[in-house]
Amino acid sequence: MSHPLHKIALAAILGFCTAVPIGIFATHYTAAQDNLTNSESAILQTLDGDQIYNHINTLSKTPRVAGTKQEDAAATYIKKQFESYGYKTELQSFTFTDYTKPHTVELTLNHVTKSVKPLAFEFSVNGYATGEVISAGLGTVDELQNLDVVGKIVLLKRGGISFVEKARNASSKGAVGVIIYNNDDKKIFGSLGAENKIHVPAVLLTKAEGVVLENLIINKPGTKATIKIVGAQSKSNISQNVIATKKPSSLNKTAKNDVVVISSHYDSVEGAPGANDNASGTAMTIELARVLKTIPTDTEIRFISFGAEEAGLVGSTHYVESLSKNEISRIVANFNLDMVGSKDSGELVLQTVDDKPNLVTELAQEASKKLNGQATPFTQGDSSDHVPFANAGIPAALFIHSPPEPWYHQPQDTIDKISKTKLQDVAEIVSVAVWNLVRIDSQVK
Ligand code: BES
Ligand code: ZN
């Protein structure tokens, strides 16, 4: 939806231009926009897509990898913007494990001349392991119980239990290395979750490679393998969340102590300037803070930009874990904005962890129906900072365009790929949805 329409609608609502026959306006705005209340129109009038675009431009000059000076500089910028609107802000710092991938990952087999190109699991230790390969199904405790795996390399299939459980089950029985292969043809990234106590090298193979290896050890029992992983590094690092708080207004007569969290992450992956992932959501959080600053509400609003999302949702997990049970129960909704402005992505969707509607998706659907005549669809998704909120029982949803653009996590994720129309659209839906939750005497609660 474009700006001029709001302006006309607002002018009509406020009774400007009363001398102009109503019929003239009727040709300008749609039935859907007729439904907007005065307050909604006023909010939309204030929203400025150019400001969002300009913040993205500033933030996306360089990558903002967690724990680097550039991530830190982005935090300072975000804090400054919040403060320029009069917000009280807080920098909440936390430590996380910064993992550097190994430069060498090799798997060699003594009956095979063709080289296999395995991936090392994230957080696998470095090491050189040699031993007979033994297959142990999915690697459950039961499957490993009666197998002698001491000094051997255990071959396991993905599925049933997590990668880290498989690796732990094998290494605790004395295996010197672990090979896990995929159970479908989609490319995956394997992680052992975090720095851990599994001190044997672990590699990931494709499904096809795994099947070849299973057959090989059936046909040639005693086949030996060697795994070599060199150059992986784990070190402790520091990142921070930037938090601005808007307390309920003094007009408040119906205080329920409720809190709404509008969030985004401001870090990026290495090599990617992250204009869309996620300077876009960060810039939108800043703009929503500006727009909502002076509006009377009966609900506290927290605008939070999280650090170290790309390192495994670390900032948002730290934030939610730092809250008491009572504080968690006060949070009634999390609107999480991530990748909200690429020209080259698909349509807006709302993603929930459990694939079910909740207060956030319902409000966003109501808002999108009002604004565009169509309810934004929702799908399942658990790859961003709404996850720790959802896991804590808080209604939460991710606002994202799907499918993602080809530049996702690439050096080409730059400002020239940003669409002001998409930014404006998402910001309108989120601001109307949030407004209907925080307004005084809201019917929604
Ligand atoms: N913005 C992405 C999430 C995303 C990308 C969701 C494309 C849906 C489609 C986010 O920053 C990200 O990259 N997340 C990681 C997972 C996270 C736990 C490190 C991912 O999806 O690999
Ligand atoms: Zn992201």
Side-chain angles (χ1 to χ4, degrees):
M1 207 163 84
S2 69
H3 240 14
L5 291 175
H6 300 317
K7 288 189 179 138
I8 292 160
L10 185 71
I13 289 160
L14 297 180
F16 302 157
C17 316
T18 41
V20 181
I22 283 299
I24 291 179
F25 288 115
T27 58
H28 282 279
Y29 56 101
T30 65
Q33 289 157 358
D34 270 341
N35 298 332
L36 294 175
T37 63
N38 290 6
S39 312
E40 287 169 347
S41 298
I43 288 170
L44 297 181
Q45 173 92 350
T46 321
L47 255 186
D48 184 353
D50 284 345
Q51 298 231 25
I52 305 178
Y53 186 88
N54 293 339
H55 293 310
I56 299 174
N57 194 25
T58 309
L59 285 164
S60 63
K61 299 276 190 243
T62 64
R64 302 169 300 283
V65 178
T68 63
K69 270 196 288 211
Q70 290 77 13
E71 195 208 31
D72 211 35
T76 306
Y77 175 81
I78 299 158
K79 184 170 182 279
K80 246 193 191 156
Q81 305 310 308
F82 286 149
E83 285 172 355
S84 75
Y85 311 139
Y87 282 98
K88 236 186 102 202
T89 60
E90 184 200 338
L91 286 180
Q92 180 189 42
S93 60
F94 53 87
T95 57
F96 70 99
T97 307
D98 203 347
Y99 179 78
T100 309
K101 279 190 199 159
H103 51 75
T104 306
V105 185
E106 285 170 9
L107 173 64
T108 46
L109 298 154
N110 68 341
H111 292 297
V112 180
T113 45
K114 218 177 102 193
S115 77
V116 191
K117 284 222 166 63
L119 293 173
F121 276 93
E122 185 188 32
F123 296 117
S124 165
V125 289
N126 293 316
Y128 183 90
T130 278
E132 182 190 333
V133 184
I134 178 164
S135 173
L138 297 174
T140 60
V141 171
D142 282 356
E143 283 166 300
L144 282 154
Q145 201 172 13
N146 298 317
L147 285 179
D148 175 15
V149 299
V150 177
K152 296 180 185 164
I153 290 181
V154 176
L155 174 66
L156 304 171
K157 186 176 178 176
R158 179 186 173 204
I161 52 173
S162 68
F163 290 136
V164 67
E165 286 171 291
K166 290 172 195 280
R168 192 182 295 131
N169 291 347
S171 69
S172 65
K173 292 273 297 179
V176 293
V178 178
I179 303 170
I180 304 176
Y181 63 95
N182 203 347
N183 58 359
D184 71 30
D185 294 322
K186 270 192 239 139
K187 217 173 136 184
I188 52 160
F189 156 81
S191 177
L192 299 179
E195 215 180 359
N196 55 64
K197 298 202 165 58
I198 300 160
H199 293 302
V200 303
V203 291
L204 175 67
L205 296 183
T206 63
K207 182 181 172 188
E209 290 165 339
V211 171
V212 169
L213 191 47
E214 290 278 13
N215 287 331
L216 184 74
I217 58 176
I218 291 169
N219 295 329
K220 297 208 161 124
T223 294
K224 277 189 168 180
T226 300
I227 300 175
K228 189 176 165 190
I229 302 180
V230 189
Q233 249 181 49
S234 285
K235 59 177 193 296
S236 181
N237 210 334
I238 293 174
S239 175
Q240 59 214 317
N241 298 326
V242 190
I243 307 168
T245 306
K246 174 180 164 64
K247 292 284 179 198
S249 73
S250 53
L251 293 172
N252 180 8
K253 295 227 166 49
T254 58
K256 285 185 181 157
N257 234 358
D258 288 352
V259 177
V260 167
V261 174
I262 301 176
S263 65
S264 50
H265 72 88
Y266 66 92
D267 64 315
S268 76
V269 297
E270 206 178 318
N276 198 42
D277 187 10
N278 184 31
S280 67
T282 303
M284 198 172 288
T285 306
I286 295 171
E287 176 61 358
L288 291 170
R290 188 185 70 80
V291 166
L292 294 167
K293 177 67 179 80
T294 55
I295 291 176
T297 63
D298 72 0
T299 300
E300 179 172 321
I301 310 178
R302 293 184 198 158
F303 302 91
I304 312 182
S305 207
F306 294 116
E309 187 264 3
E310 304 285 6
L313 314 181
V314 187
S316 51
T317 302
H318 177 81
Y319 177 75
V320 173
E321 282 177 356
S322 72
L323 299 170
S324 66
K325 267 199 184 137
N326 179 51
E327 284 171 313
I328 287 178
S329 71
R330 288 179 56 204
I331 305 181
V332 294
N334 168 231
F335 294 76
N336 184 47
L337 314 173
D338 194 354
M339 301 172 72
V340 284
S342 174
K343 280 178 185 167
D344 306 306
S345 57
E347 294 297 312
L348 180 66
V349 294
L350 310 163
Q351 294 193 344
T352 58
V353 172
D354 61 5
D355 201 15
K356 294 200 179 104
N358 59 37
L359 180 61
V360 178
T361 61
E362 277 159 15
L363 285 163
Q365 291 194 325
E366 248 171 65
S368 53
K369 246 190 275 171
K370 259 192 190 183
L371 289 160
N372 304 325
Q374 257 186 338
T376 306
F378 72 88
T379 60
Q380 198 279 334
D382 50 13
S383 301
S384 187
D385 292 313
H386 58 303
V387 173
F389 289 89
N391 290 346
I394 298 165
L398 166 64
F399 291 71
I400 189 163
H401 293 110
S402 181
E405 61 280 10
W407 329 122
Y408 164 55
H409 283 184
Q410 299 301 313
Q412 297 95 322
D413 182 6
T414 43
I415 186 71
D416 52 305
K417 318 293 191 316
I418 295 295
S419 153
K420 283 192 191 176
T421 316
K422 271 189 168 146
L423 292 172
Q424 183 76 30
D425 251 11
V426 182
E428 289 186 359
I429 292 168
V430 177
S431 57
V432 169
V434 169
W435 162 245
N436 281 298
L437 188 52
V438 301
R439 67 189 158 89
I440 293 173
D441 293 326
S442 165
Q443 299 303 304
V444 181
K445 288 178 270 188

